[in-house]
Amino acid sequence: GAGVSQSPSNKVTEKGKDVELRCDPISGHTALYWYRQSLGQGLEFLIYFQGNSAPDKSGLPSDRFSAERTGGSVSTLTIQRTQQEDSAVYLCASRPTGFYGYTFGSGTRLTVV
Amino acid sequence: AQSVTQLDSQVPVFEEAPVELRCNYSSSVSVYLFWYVQYPNQGLQLLLKYLSGSTLVESINGFEAEFNKSQTSFHLRKPSVHISDTAEYFCAVSGTYQGAQKLVFGQGTRLTINP
């Protein structure tokens, strides 16, 4: 596609429920990132995928968070047993190999009530 | 590890006035530097970047930033702003050695242009 696509754009969920956030990167972009943007915390790195290599999960805040990338393309970020502090905008970004700078999606605004 | 400090959380200016958004970074290794812009209800867009070479880099919409290694700064400037420049601006850094190119972002500066 023309840009990085994220869905849903907004998600309201009850505390304790699981949620899945989807990212469809630009075709051909080998690197994919998830970041979280929240008030007071700014933009935090969560996880990075590069091709078929093992993902860099060093930014995931707890074991309730996980992500996968199927076929080197679409990625899903899953948050289990959501908590109110998980409320934030989750941003996905991608880039082609050798390029410096990401292309971001518009994000998914997650609200846990 | 790297860190970024954006010294101003909010900057109000009048239309057609000049503006400078300040960014300082800390790193024990060589860095790449970036400015991203986020318009309301949108994702972040790459505005400009410094990788190597000339320390002054420019964007297509009139912004420029200068890499100052001795002062560890990468301030963003525009000589004359427009209403359409109203947005939040993020400075970011990554280490040049990092194949992953994980970006560390500042807290952002909200630029408000008043008519």
Side-chain angles (χ1 to χ4, degrees):
Chain A
V4 178
S5 178
Q6 292 189 245
S7 60
S9 55
N10 283 283
K11 176 72 176 179
V12 179
T13 190
E14 293 180 352
K15 178 181 173 181
K17 295 287 180 68
D18 298 351
V19 295
E20 285 189 352
L21 312 180
R22 176 187 169 104
C23 173
D24 204 338
I26 293 173
S27 178
H29 281 199
T30 54
L32 185 148
Y33 305 79
W34 284 96
Y35 279 77
R36 178 169 69 175
Q37 185 177 24
S38 52
L39 289 174
Q41 297 295 323
L43 280 146
E44 303 171 272
F45 165 79
L46 296 177
I47 189 168
Y48 158 69
F49 296 89
Q50 173 64 56
N52 295 321
S53 301
D56 179 342
K57 306 179 183 179
S58 59
L60 295 178
S62 76
D63 59 8
R64 295 186 296 104
F65 288 72
S66 63
E68 64 177 19
R69 188 179 185 191
T70 55
S73 181
V74 172
S75 177
T76 302
L77 177 69
T78 301
I79 309 173
Q80 296 179 311
R81 306 180 302 280
T82 51
Q83 304 295 314
Q84 287 186 330
E85 60 263 28
D86 300 334
S87 296
V89 176
Y90 289 82
L91 292 166
C92 177
S94 69
R95 68 174 174 87
T97 301
F99 183 76
Y100 296 91
Y102 310 160
T103 300
F104 279 90
S106 297
T108 294
R109 182 175 298 276
L110 176 66
T111 305
V112 182
V113 298
Chain B
Q2 293 84 38
S3 67
V4 177
T5 301
Q6 291 184 243
L7 296 166
D8 305 297
S9 60
Q10 296 188 61
V11 173
V13 295
F14 288 106
E15 194 172 16
E16 298 183 5
V19 69
E20 178 180 81
L21 307 183
R22 295 179 292 171
C23 171
N24 287 87
Y25 69 92
S26 173
S27 177
S28 57
V29 298
S30 297
V31 296
Y32 297 137
L33 292 155
F34 305 82
W35 276 99
Y36 282 82
V37 58
Q38 186 175 33
Y39 298 104
N41 300 314
Q42 296 186 27
L44 280 75
Q45 301 175 29
L46 180 63
L47 187 60
L48 47 74
K49 61 188 176 187
Y50 169 77
L51 304 181
S52 65
S54 173
T55 56
L56 184 66
V57 291
E58 300 178 350
S59 73
I60 59 173
N61 58 351
F63 282 93
E64 64 180 30
E66 186 159 21
F67 170 53
N68 188 318
K69 187 175 182 179
S70 63
Q71 297 187 6
T72 60
S73 68
F74 192 55
H75 302 329
L76 183 69
R77 302 183 182 96
K78 189 170 185 179
S80 176
V81 295
H82 303 286
I83 292 286
S84 59
D85 294 324
T86 296
E88 189 148 19
Y89 292 79
F90 293 90
C91 183
V93 64
S94 73
T96 59
Y97 68 94
Q98 289 179 335
Q101 203 194 124
K102 288 188 291 187
L103 292 178
V104 175
F105 286 87
Q107 293 291 315
T109 298
R110 186 171 300 278
L111 177 62
T112 304
I113 313 298
N114 298 306

